[in-house]
Amino acid sequence: MNDDVRNIVLGVVATAVSGGFGWFTRTYLWRRDLRRKQAFFGLPTGSDCLFVVNRQVGGKDSSLHRNDAFALLEISGLIRDCGATVQIVPHDAARQGFGERTEFCVGGPASNSRTTAHLASLLPGVQVDVSTDPGPERGSISVGGERYLWEKGMVEHVVLARLVTERGTRPVFLLSGQTANSNQAAARYLAKHHRELARRHGRDSFCLLLKVINSDAYGPDVTELVADVTRQARTPAVAAA
């Protein structure tokens, strides 16, 4: 074997080794990211979860606002990535406990009775004005002594929470907004920031308050974190006061 042939063979071997190592590294990182995502969402491969849908405020009993449908699509991508399946259930038909299966519950208490139950039992420090009378406090969210108002088309707020009752149980993800647009914004925020949330909170419960800015112009795209209100939300409102 002359020097030229030897160099060619060594080059081919080096390329194969380098390519194999790169493939192994990418596969390892992909699997690690998948395991972390599955642990955060409580969705191991082959599992199933619930998506509890609300009704459109002011619409027919069975109607679903298109932004809430978009929220379902945002979350469906996460579920599919984890290798899980989803069962869609109307809010007034989800008569079961929590912890057995991961649950995504979308919509405020004015349109989702399941949200009302979760707020009362898991986030007693969060109060939502569900009155239908016109006024500045209609739809407002109160937590930790602060009241967050809804300014139609300009400022919308939404509670995004991951709730677990004990170790080993599956989480409930609550997306309770003042509008369907803010529900979609919370779903998009969860899809975009779930790695950061997993690093910060691990598998523990958390409750975040998000603000959607100028929805008339930007829809659900411009969303910012107002505060982490986990402690205040889990403290009964009377005690917090």
Side-chain angles (χ1 to χ4, degrees), residues 19 26 35 58 60 65 94 96 183 188 197 227:
R26 289 191 298 270
R35 288 193 298 269
K60 298 179 180 179
H65 195 283
Q96 54 192 288
N183 294 335
R188 185 166 295 181
L197 294 172

Side-chain angles (χ1 to χ4, degrees), residues 41-43 48-53 75 79 86-87 89 91 94 96-106 112 114-115 117-118 122 161-163 170-175 190:
F41 287 108
L43 293 173
D48 65 331
C49 64
L50 293 179
F51 190 99
V52 182
V53 296
I75 293 172
I79 298 170
V86 60
Q87 177 186 357
V89 182
H91 70 102
Q96 54 192 288
F98 47 83
E100 293 296 324
R101 291 187 288 178
T102 294
E103 175 184 333
F104 297 91
C105 186
V106 175
N112 191 324
R114 184 79 168 174
T115 296
H118 288 329
L122 301 174
R162 180 186 191 274
L163 307 170
R170 302 287 173 83
V172 173
F173 288 90
L174 182 64
L175 296 78
L190 180 63

Side-chain angles (χ1 to χ4, degrees), residues 136-214:
E137 295 186 357
R138 180 184 177 186
S140 64
I141 299 173
S142 299
V143 58
E146 298 289 336
R147 187 184 298 272
Y148 301 91
L149 302 179
W150 168 38
E151 300 175 34
K152 187 177 181 180
M154 293 302 298
V155 177
E156 302 167 6
H157 296 91
V158 55
V159 170
L160 171 61
R162 180 186 191 274
L163 307 170
V164 290
T165 54
E166 59 184 61
R167 287 288 183 179
T169 61
R170 302 287 173 83
V172 173
F173 288 90
L174 182 64
L175 296 78
S176 174
Q178 293 171 324
T179 64
N181 180 75
S182 59
N183 294 335
Q184 184 188 357
R188 185 166 295 181
Y189 187 94
L190 180 63
K192 184 178 180 180
H193 296 280
H194 65 83
R195 293 180 182 85
E196 175 187 343
L197 294 172
R199 286 194 298 268
R200 181 177 303 173
H201 303 283
R203 301 187 187 185
D204 296 330
S205 296
F206 64 78
C207 181
L208 308 178
L209 186 74
L210 309 176
K211 179 168 67 175
V212 186
I213 301 172
N214 198 354

